[in-house]
Amino acid sequence: MEKVVIFDFDGTLTQKGENAWQKLWQWAGYKIGEGSEYRNLFNRYINGEFSYKEWNDRTCEYLRAGNLTSVKVVTIGALTPMILGLNQTLKTLAENGYKLYIVSGSIKQIIRTCIKDDNYKYFSAVYANDFHYDKDGIIQSITPTPFDFDGKKRFVELMIQSGVNPQNITFVGNSYNDEKVGETGVRTICINPELTRHEDRTIWKDVVYGDSLTKILPLIIDKKHEVQLEY
Ligand SMILES: [Mg+2]
């Protein structure tokens, strides 16, 4: 019986703080406060004025104009502090037979350099936006992830359609772009909530606070339950 844990990245596998997109805009020389182009574009996407891909494309134009290089992107990743207890959590889940995924609206190259190889190796797959660079190393295009916002829900639905029992799926996230997953009925855990209706139990089944990701382990690994299943 396949058991799966799906993780968001920003604010879930990282410590609370600015998200990767905010850092990218700043490293490309822009402000991110009220009235900024960053805010403006994001609000227009949220308000349905254009698609996720168009939001990516328009963001890319600004980042390119700001000479954002591949070196800067991986440096942002390397400087982003991981949540404490990440390695222990992933190792414990893997040892207990869980398949692990990242389904994120962040950026692949940042995720990889942030969590480092000894954590990355535990994931069966990582879904996120993918940056491409020109010959000078400056960002040229972004392949958008199909699995952000509503897409996170769609990812879980695809997993259920592929034969994984919804009772064996856990999603761990922290914010409003994870909320749709709650509609699938799988177990949802909110860690250190940020701009999400964390008290709504139709969205989040459990909420945990703390510096260490290990806090989610007792909610996922239920030894008693697994023994009962064997009889
Ligand atoms: Mg997040």
Side-chain angles (χ1 to χ4, degrees), residues 101-227:
Y101 295 87
I102 292 176
V103 176
S104 162
S106 188
I107 295 93
K108 277 188 181 174
Q109 291 78 5
I110 286 182
I111 296 172
R112 173 125 211 171
T113 46
C114 169
I115 70 171
K116 321 266 184 306
D117 287 350
D118 59 338
N119 294 306
Y120 202 87
K121 69 179 183 194
Y122 286 110
F123 292 100
S124 298
V126 173
Y127 297 94
N129 299 295
D130 197 5
F131 282 7
H132 308 284
Y133 307 95
D134 68 14
K135 61 174 175 29
D136 299 318
I138 297 168
I139 188 168
Q140 189 164 43
S141 63
I142 304 173
T143 305
T145 176
F147 302 128
D148 198 4
F149 291 92
D150 289 10
K152 294 202 182 205
K153 174 186 172 187
R154 206 157 57 242
F155 181 87
V156 173
E157 287 172 342
L158 287 170
M159 191 145 268
I160 295 167
Q161 279 167 28
S162 78
V164 183
N165 185 335
Q167 289 184 335
N168 293 333
I169 300 176
T170 301
F171 180 91
V172 187
N174 77 313
S175 194
Y176 58 94
N177 64 328
D178 304 313
E179 289 187 348
K180 284 276 177 186
V181 175
E183 295 175 11
T184 64
V186 304
R187 183 206 302 265
T188 49
I189 301 172
C190 187
I191 183 159
N192 300 324
E194 176 98 39
L195 304 173
T196 181
R197 292 165 282 171
H198 62 273
E199 63 296 312
D200 185 338
R201 288 295 157 265
T202 66
I203 299 172
W204 298 107
K205 304 265 190 314
D206 289 291
V207 182
V208 296
Y209 296 86
D211 294 334
S212 177
L213 190 63
T214 53
K215 286 204 158 183
I216 66 169
L217 288 173
L219 298 171
I220 299 173
I221 301 173
D222 183 350
K223 287 265 158 42
K224 226 169 35 198
H225 181 62
E226 288 181 9
V227 170

Side-chain angles (χ1 to χ4, degrees), residues 9-10 18-25 76 80 106-107 110:
F9 171 70
D10 252 317
E18 281 169 353
N19 75 39
W21 289 107
Q22 292 170 326
K23 290 180 193 153
L24 287 163
W25 278 83
I76 290 170
T80 300
S106 188
I107 295 93
I110 286 182

Side-chain angles (χ1 to χ4, degrees), residues 4-48:
V4 170
V5 183
I6 303 161
F7 291 93
D8 164 56
F9 171 70
D10 252 317
T12 298
L13 302 186
T14 68
Q15 294 176 26
K16 213 168 180 169
E18 281 169 353
N19 75 39
W21 289 107
Q22 292 170 326
K23 290 180 193 153
L24 287 163
W25 278 83
Q26 288 175 303
W27 280 56
Y30 299 98
K31 299 215 179 335
I32 58 165
E34 207 65 54
S36 63
E37 270 316 310
Y38 160 76
R39 290 276 191 105
N40 182 25
L41 272 190
F42 191 66
N43 289 340
R44 288 171 71 188
Y45 162 66
I46 290 291
N47 294 331

